[in-house]
Amino acid sequence: MCTDEQWMNVALLVSLKSCCVKVKVGAVVVYGGNEISRGYNRKYINDDGECVFEKCERSLRGGCFYSIHAEMNAIINAIEKGFSKFDEVVIYTTLAPCLSCAKLIYRIGIREIRYVESYAKTEGISVEEGVKFLEDMGCNVKRICPDDGSLRR
């Protein structure tokens, strides 16, 4: 059985597929010690791998309006595989969920969330909104930040 740090290393490897200029994020959905799905933040692309929006507007904080977040991608990928036992999974994500992703995570039934980096810090805000929401809703949210260097970025 893999440890939280080992699953987080998988999420970190998945994040390398992202082409986001702001922050590369990876997520892994795990059920019973087995990977169900993975996702990374990405823009909408055509069959040639090009962004479908030629002039992608940037948000005030530098993000892309048209991207899909890693957690959303991982959940969608699990659903596309026919998976439905979300109340029994752990989701590992390299960045704390934003508030929108946190709402999706909670609504789909996921109650175990692990993350490494602060979303608030990357966005220049003072509160980890997604984490606060999930904790307020009774979810088990844990930041994985070992001092032994077992996580590789």
Side-chain angles (χ1 to χ4, degrees), residues 43-44 50-57 64 66:
K43 56 191 174 184
Y44 289 96
E50 299 166 344
C51 184
V52 296
F53 301 100
E54 288 182 29
K55 295 181 180 176
C56 183
E57 297 281 333
C64 178
Y66 305 114

Side-chain angles (χ1 to χ4, degrees), residues 18-29:
S18 173
C19 61
C20 180
V21 296
K22 185 175 179 186
V23 62
K24 296 177 184 305
V25 183
V28 181
V29 175

Side-chain angles (χ1 to χ4, degrees), residues 12-20 24 38 40-42:
L12 287 164
L13 286 172
V14 170
S15 74
L16 298 177
K17 293 187 77 173
S18 173
C19 61
C20 180
K24 296 177 184 305
R38 50 178 64 183
Y40 55 93
N41 57 329
R42 58 180 287 209

Side-chain angles (χ1 to χ4, degrees), residues 24-25 39 48 71 87 111 117 128 131 134 136 149:
K24 296 177 184 305
V25 183
D48 296 325
E71 302 94 328
D87 59 331
R111 300 298 182 261
E117 296 178 27
E128 206 69 69
V131 170
L134 290 165
D136 288 350

